Amino acid sequence: MSSISTARIAEVQRNTNETKIRVRVNLDGTGQAKLATGIGFFDHMLDQIARHGLIDLEIEAQGDLHIDGHHTVEDVGITLGQAVAQAVGDKKGLTRYGHSYVPLDEALSRVVVDFSGRPGLAMDVKFTAGSIGAFDTQLAFEFFQGFVNHALVSLHVDNLKGHNAHHQCETIFKAFGRALRMALTLDPRSAGVIPSTKGSL
């Protein structure tokens, strides 16, 4: 029988005319990250996912940043979703659901995730600024949309309070990491069991 760490590691490369992305994940890691997307604040947010999700994460991205960050951020979301889906495997013994509330000073966000096999994103975030460093705040939605479409999860992202856009965004990504950590935890009480009355996800 394969060890958990072997079964829950994946590497995906995705190359298009706009971007070249490589993502490697270990869902049973310690939160180590090696990130190079060319967008400093985005790297900072991806580091939050790794650190708070206890996911070892390597991401290398070469994108058309001379245009803007849209393709790079979206395609990283897509590739990360593909890698997570591959690493999760058949979902036997998976907790499946995860949620987290994370504060940062005046900001508070809630993220809820379901590894349902059905992609869906509900995101309610009213950023107070259009950009944070070189990161266009509209791209947070594009990242999560790319992720859910390819990880095949239902994801609810809500910023409940916040005046500082950096704080708003950071609480979202931290809460996302924490929610993933909960959902991806293997439940010893349901080892070998698909967490659904349907018998499949």
Side-chain angles (χ1 to χ4, degrees):
M1 180 175 179
S2 298
S3 67
I4 290 172
S5 61
T6 300
R8 304 219 304 175
I9 293 175
E11 182 168 335
V12 174
Q13 293 191 352
R14 184 176 188 272
N15 297 328
T16 72
N17 290 334
E18 297 167 340
T19 62
K20 292 179 174 57
I21 314 286
R22 183 186 72 86
V23 172
R24 186 179 190 274
V25 296
N26 177 359
L27 302 184
D28 300 294
T30 59
Q32 302 301 306
K34 295 180 181 178
L35 307 165
T37 67
I39 305 172
F41 184 77
F42 187 39
D43 285 350
H44 182 45
M45 293 301 97
L46 294 169
D47 193 30
Q48 304 304 325
I49 297 173
R51 190 70 53 88
H52 293 278
L54 291 183
I55 295 169
D56 289 347
L57 184 59
E58 294 180 20
I59 297 178
E60 297 173 359
Q62 298 177 15
D64 50 3
L65 296 180
H66 62 286
I67 297 175
D68 66 10
H70 190 289
H71 298 142
T72 298
V73 173
E74 180 181 26
D75 288 3
V76 167
I78 289 170
T79 312
L80 178 59
Q82 291 172 339
V84 168
Q86 184 177 316
V88 166
D90 61 15
K91 303 180 186 176
K92 288 181 179 178
L94 201 67
T95 297
R96 175 177 169 178
Y97 300 100
H99 64 270
S100 182
Y101 287 80
V102 170
L104 175 54
D105 296 343
E106 88 297 344
L108 175 65
S109 293
R110 174 186 62 215
V111 173
V112 184
V113 65
D114 173 15
F115 276 78
S116 60
R118 299 182 305 277
L121 174 63
M123 184 168 171
D124 186 6
V125 180
K126 297 175 178 64
F127 284 110
T128 59
S131 63
I132 308 165
F135 183 79
D136 181 343
T137 52
Q138 294 182 92
L139 298 184
F141 178 88
E142 303 302 330
F143 168 79
F144 288 118
Q145 187 69 76
F147 179 85
V148 301
N149 284 346
H150 293 269
L152 301 179
V153 302
S154 296
L155 182 67
H156 289 251
V157 179
D158 295 281
N159 175 239
L160 305 176
K161 297 179 181 179
H163 301 297
N164 181 291
H166 186 131
H167 294 170
Q168 288 176 294
C169 202
E170 189 162 333
T171 56
I172 289 165
F173 277 83
K174 285 179 175 177
F176 177 62
R178 289 272 170 176
L180 283 182
R181 177 178 170 182
M182 179 185 292
L184 292 169
T185 297
L186 296 174
D187 184 350
R189 295 179 62 195
S190 62
V193 177
I194 299 289
S196 171
T197 55
K198 294 183 180 71
S200 65
L201 287 171

